[in-house]
Amino acid sequence: ETGVTQTPRHLVMGMTNKKSLKCEQHLGHNAMYWYKQSAKKPLELMFVYNFKEQTENNSVPSRFSPECPNSSHLFLHLHTLQPEDSALYLCASSPVHDSPLHFGNGTRLTVT
Amino acid sequence: DAKTTQPPSMDCAEGRAANLPCNHSTISGNEYVYWYRQIHSQGPQYIIHGLKNNETNEMASLIITEDRKSSTLILPHATLRDTAVYYCIVRVGTDKLIFGTGTRLQVFP
């Protein structure tokens, strides 16, 4: 148990579907992150939120849309994805932006 | 791009110390060295970090050379559950945590 919970653990979606990934942290942290981990590639930072404000968008395509309604919850809304978007999507949180990150166990996404 | 270099894989016998090296020859004075590991099918787990001095916690020890151009993560008594990919990362302040390809440590019985 990492204190960062991601749902669902697995998701299969078609290219025309709309789905959302959810992340919830029970650690009282103020910064939250989305990372993408594709097969055979290093983790890639996607988005950073500090105190609910987005502070980093790492050139992510607009078919990925993050939402941070409060410091405990982070969503990643997905629409019209491509098969190459299939990957493990990891959420993380930290007390403040320069602290060690705590990761969830990810959502394994397959786009068909 | 990651600023560290690590061997792609290492083996270690169970019960022995695992010493994982990392080169960060371009590290700047205010960059910290972080270590994370990722066990199969899980998210990365924070292990330890340091700036100049050696550090120890319940999981591992971090030895940083005096010139800070390299470091070693030491797992004093490796177990089968320590089999994972270990990432060495340098980072300053609120900079992005950039992961490289890491070292795949295999602990064998």
Side-chain angles (χ1 to χ4, degrees):
Chain A
E1 178 59 51
T2 69
V4 179
T5 303
Q6 291 188 242
T7 54
R9 286 299 309 275
H10 301 271
L11 178 63
V12 179
M13 61 185 289
M15 289 190 284
T16 58
N17 290 159
K18 289 185 180 181
K19 296 286 185 183
S20 296
L21 309 184
K22 180 182 177 182
C23 175
E24 183 175 2
Q25 56 98 358
H26 311 278
L27 302 168
H29 291 171
N30 294 305
M32 297 189 78
Y33 312 77
W34 280 116
Y35 278 82
K36 174 184 178 182
Q37 188 172 31
S38 303
K40 311 289 187 184
K41 292 176 68 175
L43 279 81
E44 303 170 58
L45 178 65
M46 300 175 72
F47 301 104
V48 180
Y49 278 82
N50 252 311
F51 293 92
K52 302 187 298 178
E53 298 296 322
Q54 184 176 314
T55 56
E56 180 91 30
N57 177 336
N58 201 26
S59 303
V60 181
S62 60
R63 58 186 184 270
F64 295 92
S65 174
E67 179 190 3
C68 189
N70 55 62
S71 292
S72 298
H73 293 86
L74 185 65
F75 295 90
L76 188 62
H77 303 299
L78 315 171
H79 64 99
T80 60
L81 294 192
Q82 305 298 311
E84 59 265 29
D85 296 321
S86 298
L88 180 67
Y89 289 85
L90 290 155
C91 173
S93 70
S94 63
V96 290
H97 194 18
D98 60 353
S99 305
L101 273 61
H102 296 249
F103 284 83
N105 285 326
T107 294
R108 174 72 60 187
L109 174 68
T110 302
V111 181
T112 61
Chain B
D1 291 334
K3 303 177 187 178
T4 62
T5 304
Q6 299 177 253
S9 64
M10 293 183 64
D11 290 338
C12 179
E14 190 177 22
R16 304 296 294 269
N19 297 290
L20 292 96
C22 179
N23 286 323
H24 30 80
S25 58
T26 61
I27 192 169
S28 61
N30 57 352
E31 285 186 305
Y32 284 78
V33 180
Y34 281 78
W35 283 84
Y36 284 76
R37 73 180 182 183
Q38 188 172 21
I39 296 169
H40 184 61
S41 298
Q42 298 182 20
Q45 177 190 23
Y46 165 76
I47 301 173
I48 198 167
H49 73 287
L51 183 64
K52 295 180 182 178
N53 300 321
N54 298 336
E55 302 288 343
T56 296
N57 63 21
E58 65 278 5
M59 290 182 68
S61 295
L62 174 60
I63 308 299
I64 303 174
T65 57
E66 193 169 341
D67 63 6
R68 301 207 328 119
K69 293 187 177 183
S70 65
S71 60
T72 301
L73 179 75
I74 300 173
L75 307 178
H77 306 286
T79 70
L80 298 178
R81 287 182 292 182
D82 292 321
T83 292
V85 178
Y86 286 77
Y87 299 98
C88 169
I89 303 164
V90 295
R91 179 198 191 198
V92 56
T94 59
D95 274 5
K96 295 184 279 191
L97 199 66
I98 300 175
F99 287 78
T101 53
T103 295
R104 183 172 298 279
L105 175 69
Q106 179 69 52
V107 180
F108 57 90

